Amino acid sequence: MSLKIIVPVKRVIEASVRIRLRSDGGGPDMANAKMAMNPFDEIALEEAVRLREQGLADDVLAVSIGPQAAQETLRTALALGADRALLVETGAAIEPLAIARILAAIIAEEGAQLVLMGKLSIDEDNNQTGPMLAGFLGWGQAGCASGIVVSHNTARVTCETDGGLETLDVPLPAVITADLRLNEPRYPSLPNIMKARKKPLETRALDAFGIDTAPRLKRIEVREPPERQAGLVVETVDDLIARLRDADLIPAGSAAQ
Amino acid sequence: MTILVLADHRDGMLAGTVSRVVTAAQEIGGAIDILVAGRDCGAIAAAAAEIAGVNRVLCADDPRYEHGPAERIADLLVSLAPGYDVLMAPAGSAGKAIMPRAAAMLDVMQVSEIVAVRGPDRFDRRIYAGNAILTVEAQDARKVLTVRASAFVDAGRGPAAPVQALAPLDGPALSSFVSLEASHSDRPDLTTARVVVSGGRALRSKAGFAELILPLADKLGAAVGASRAAVDAGFVGNDVQVGQTGRIVAPDLYIACGISGAIQHLAGMKDSRVIVAINNDAQAPIMQLADFALVADIFEALPELTRKL
Ligand SMILES: Cc1cc2nc3c(=O)[nH]c(=O)nc-3n(C[C@H](O)[C@H](O)[C@H](O)COP(=O)(O)OP(=O)(O)OC[C@H]3O[C@@H](n4cnc5c(N)ncnc54)[C@H](O)[C@@H]3O)c2cc1C
C-alpha cells in the first residue's frame, strides 16, 4: 500500500514564549517573537514520516499557508523528513474556514489519501481546521489522535476524548488530527538539514487558487485578560485550612485539629 | 432568533455542560431547541427538556448515532440548520469534532470556545493559551459556536419542554466505533465541578497520585485534575488533563499540588475563583498566581491536609 500524505504546518510564536500585546489592540507583538512550527503539526509530521519509513506511505507533502517567512518552517519540515513542501504565500491572516478550503483544493490536485494535521494551533486555539477540511472533502475524520495504525485502507485511531481513550476505524481517505501523546518528534539532524536544502519547496501565490479568503469574523479587539490579585503565602497546613474555611471554600465544621 | 444546542452526553447521562450552553444561548436571545442524538437516549432527551428556558427537544434515537459518530451527527445538524440562526454546542471533545465539520458544510466560520456573549453577533474568546481575549463579530448569516462551559452558569431546571422524535438520516458511515477505554469515576465531572484537586509531576508515580491526590479529592467531594506531565507519565488518564490542550475548568476552588504552572497549564485553570498552590519551590509560576501559596513538600502537606479536613 502506498499513500500520499499531506501535512499542513503553521508558523506560530514558540510555545514557551509569553506573548506581549501591541498597544493598538491588534494582537500580539510578532516583531521580535521567537517563531516555530506549531507543536501539534510537528507531531503530525513525525507520524507521517514514520508511516513512510514503515513503507506505508511513499510521499509526504508539507503545506503552509502564510508569509514568506513560513519557508523556514517548511525547510524544518523537510529536514524532519517531508519529501516536498508547498508554500501558499500570503501576507494576510487567513481564517480556518478558508485555510480548509485551500487545503481541499491542494488535496484534490495532489490526489492525497491522508491528511495528518495538528488538532489545534497554539496561537488562536480554534481547534477546528481538521474537521472543517474533512467536511469540505466529505471524508471521514478522527481527532486528537494518540495512536494511529494504518492497514488495508483503514486507519485505526485512538482518540483522546473527555470520556477516555476512544478507538475508531476510519476508512481512507481521511483527515486525522494529532494530539500531544501521539509520538515524540525527532530533532532534525545536521545531514538532514543539509539534505533538506535540496528538496523541492514550491511557492505559489494565494491568488492563484481563486478562493475567496475574505474574513467572516470581524476582529473588534484583542486585550489582556484581567490580572489576578496578588495572593498570600500561608505558612502551615493549619493556616491554609483556616483561610479556606473563612472563605467558605471547605465545608463548615472542617477545622484544624 | 432560533437557536439549536447540540447536547453532549456520556454513559446515558446528559453532560452538565449543556445547561451552561443554554445560558449562553439565552444571552444571545431567541427560542432554544436542544438536539439529542444517540441510541436509547430517551432519558437524556427528557433530562434536556427540563433545562430552564428550553423550547423543544429534538431526539434522534437510532443505532446509527450510537457513540456519537462526528460525520453522521454533523450531517444531522446540517439538515436541521435551515430552521435555525445559531447552532451551538459545548466545547467538549464531541463539539470540537462535530461543529467545525458542520460549519464547513454550511460555509460558516465557526467561533470556537466563546467565553462571553457581547451581543447577538459579538463574542469573546481566549487566544494564545488564555493570555489574550479576542472580541469578534460573526458576519455570516448563520452562526456556529462552541461554548466554554466553565465561563457560564447553569441555567437551572424548569417545566419540561416537549420532546419530538427525529428520523435518522441515511448516508455513508465513515468512522466507526471500535472501543472505549473509559475512565469510570464517581467523582464530579471536571468541567463543572465546584472544587478541583490537581496533581503534577511531583507526585512521582501512579501510586503517589493515588495515595495523595485521590483521598484529598474524596474528602472535598472534588473532581481530580492533572498536569500534562502527570498524564504523560501515566499517573492518571488523559481525560483529566487540565490546560490549553486538555480540559478548561473554573471551579470555586482549584488546588494545584506539585504543579509548576506552565503557561499551558494556567490556560486551563486561571479563571478559577480561588487558587491554592502547594509547591516546595516558592518561585514556581503557580505560586505567584495563587491566592494561597503553601511552600511545602506535598508528601508531608497533603496527608496532613487530608487528615485535618
Ligand atoms: C503545545 C503544548 C501544549 C501543552 N498543553 C498542556 C496542558 O494542556 N496542560 C498541562 O498541564 N501542560 C501542558 N503542556 C506542558 C507544560 O508546558 C508543562 O510541561 C507541564 O504543565 C508541566 O507539568 P508539571 O507542572 O506537573 O511539571 P513540572 O513543570 O516539572 O513541575 C513540577 C513542580 O512540582 C514541584 N515539586 C517537585 N517536588 C515537589 C515536592 N516534593 N513537593 C512540592 N512540590 C514539588 C516543583 O517545584 C515544580 O514546580 C503543554 C506543552 C506544550 C508545548
Side-chain angles (χ1 to χ4, degrees):
Chain A
M1 191 175 67
S2 65
L3 288 174
K4 222 175 187 183
I5 306 179
I6 291 194
V7 183
V9 298
K10 187 174 188 186
R11 184 178 144 88
V12 297
I13 296 179
E14 212 261 332
S16 61
V17 173
R18 197 171 182 348
I19 57 143
R20 297 202 358 217
L21 294 184
R22 296 199 316 251
S23 52
D24 64 0
D29 187 356
M30 313 281 271
N32 300 307
K34 186 165 176 239
M35 307 296 285
M37 188 189 300
N38 179 42
F40 293 92
D41 305 349
E42 215 179 329
I43 293 167
L45 176 63
E46 174 68 30
E47 198 68 13
V49 171
R50 287 185 192 183
L51 287 173
R52 198 205 46 221
E53 287 168 350
Q54 292 160 24
L56 292 165
D58 54 13
D59 182 47
V60 176
L61 171 64
V63 178
S64 196
I65 299 160
Q68 203 201 348
Q71 280 192 357
E72 195 189 325
T73 314
L74 287 169
R75 281 288 168 212
T76 305
L78 292 168
L80 289 169
D83 299 295
R84 299 179 292 136
L86 168 63
L87 172 64
V88 178
E89 196 180 332
T90 171
I94 311 290
E95 288 175 351
L97 187 72
I99 295 284
R101 205 168 252 132
I102 297 162
L103 290 172
I106 294 167
I107 286 153
E109 258 177 48
E110 291 282 339
Q113 299 92 357
L114 179 59
V115 177
L116 281 169
M117 59 198 287
K119 75 167 182 180
L120 63 77
S121 66
I122 60 168
D123 47 5
E124 297 269 322
D125 282 335
N126 277 309
N127 219 315
Q128 56 177 217
T129 312
M132 281 180 162
L133 176 58
F136 279 136
L137 295 166
W139 290 5
Q141 65 181 60
C144 308
S146 66
I148 301 174
V149 180
V150 175
S151 63
H152 306 108
N153 284 314
T154 302
R156 177 158 289 192
V157 186
T158 305
C159 304
E160 299 205 352
T161 75
D162 299 344
L165 296 173
E166 183 177 62
T167 302
L168 300 177
D169 274 345
V170 201
L172 301 183
V175 176
I176 302 174
T177 70
D179 214 320
L180 292 173
R181 280 172 280 272
L182 180 57
N183 59 48
E184 184 96 38
R186 69 193 71 186
Y187 290 97
S189 67
L190 196 56
N192 285 341
I193 292 171
M194 303 303 285
K195 260 199 272 174
R197 292 191 186 154
K198 300 205 186 74
K199 288 184 178 176
L201 192 167
E202 188 193 345
T203 299
R204 288 163 68 180
L206 175 63
D207 296 346
F209 287 85
I211 289 172
D212 176 13
T213 58
R216 311 286 188 85
L217 305 183
K218 188 168 165 200
R219 294 170 83 91
I220 308 293
E221 182 194 31
V222 179
R223 63 186 182 282
E224 303 268 359
E227 281 278 336
R228 288 190 75 94
Q229 298 224 316
L232 213 70
V233 174
V234 292
E235 300 296 333
T236 62
V237 168
D238 290 337
D239 191 8
L240 177 62
I241 291 173
R243 297 207 181 257
L244 293 179
R245 202 184 43 194
D246 281 352
D248 257 342
L249 285 162
I250 53 176
S254 325
Q257 291 156 13
Chain B
M1 200 110 72
T2 49
I3 303 175
L4 183 63
V5 173
L6 174 66
D8 202 350
H9 56 91
R10 195 168 307 117
D11 300 331
M13 302 273 284
L14 183 70
T17 51
V18 178
S19 61
R20 292 164 177 248
V21 175
V22 168
T23 299
Q26 282 169 338
E27 290 180 21
I28 294 167
I32 302 163
D33 289 357
I34 296 188
L35 170 62
V36 175
R39 179 181 198 169
D40 299 330
C41 56
I44 299 164
E50 285 175 10
I51 297 174
V54 170
N55 171 58
R56 181 173 65 147
V57 174
L58 304 176
C59 181
D61 191 337
D62 191 86
R64 271 170 270 205
Y65 299 120
E66 189 174 13
H67 307 298
E71 301 92 340
R72 283 194 187 277
I73 296 179
D75 285 349
L76 191 61
L77 274 175
V78 169
S79 76
L80 295 169
Y84 295 94
D85 302 306
V86 184
L87 304 177
M88 54 204 293
S93 34
K96 285 174 178 172
I98 296 164
M99 300 309 275
R101 185 179 178 99
M105 294 165 79
L106 294 165
D107 187 30
V108 172
M109 173 60 197
Q110 167 175 293
V111 187
S112 295
E113 281 200 55
I114 62 164
V115 296
V117 175
R118 299 258 165 241
D121 303 324
R122 257 192 204 205
F123 311 99
D124 283 356
R125 52 184 312 273
R126 294 297 190 98
I127 58 175
Y128 287 93
N131 287 307
I133 301 174
L134 166 66
T135 303
V136 294
E137 194 172 277
Q139 294 174 310
D140 287 309
R142 185 170 287 119
K143 280 150 205 42
V144 176
L145 315 170
T146 62
V147 178
R148 185 172 286 185
S150 61
F152 295 89
V153 298
D154 195 308
R157 306 283 151 259
V163 177
Q164 192 178 311
L166 208 63
L169 288 185
D170 287 324
L174 291 167
S175 66
S176 58
F177 176 85
V178 177
S179 63
L180 176 68
E181 202 181 296
S183 33
H184 288 291
S185 139
D186 298 332
R187 297 195 181 80
D189 176 62
L190 187 53
T191 313
T192 52
R194 216 182 58 79
V195 181
V196 174
V197 179
S198 267
R201 194 197 306 275
L203 273 306
R204 290 200 202 128
S205 66
K206 192 172 177 157
F209 200 98
E211 283 161 29
L212 283 128
I213 299 295
L214 305 189
L216 177 58
D218 288 341
K219 265 269 169 82
L220 291 169
V224 168
S227 71
R228 174 187 169 191
V231 176
D232 283 357
F235 303 170
V236 66
N238 72 281
D239 51 306
V240 302
Q241 178 174 315
V242 171
Q244 182 181 23
T245 54
R247 309 282 283 270
I248 309 284
V249 303
D252 287 343
L253 176 61
Y254 187 89
I255 307 181
C257 310
I259 291 176
S260 62
I263 299 172
Q264 295 85 5
H265 187 79
L266 300 183
M269 43 64 72
K270 231 177 5 189
D271 294 325
S272 304
R273 190 155 75 78
V274 172
I275 296 171
V276 170
I278 307 176
N279 199 303
N280 59 8
D281 174 7
Q283 301 309 314
I286 193 118
M287 300 291 268
Q288 320 307 312
L289 186 92
D291 298 284
F292 302 114
L294 176 63
V295 184
D297 185 333
I298 50 167
F299 290 92
E300 289 161 17
L302 288 179
E304 184 186 345
L305 179 58
T306 306
R307 184 159 40 80
K308 288 181 171 172
L309 281 177

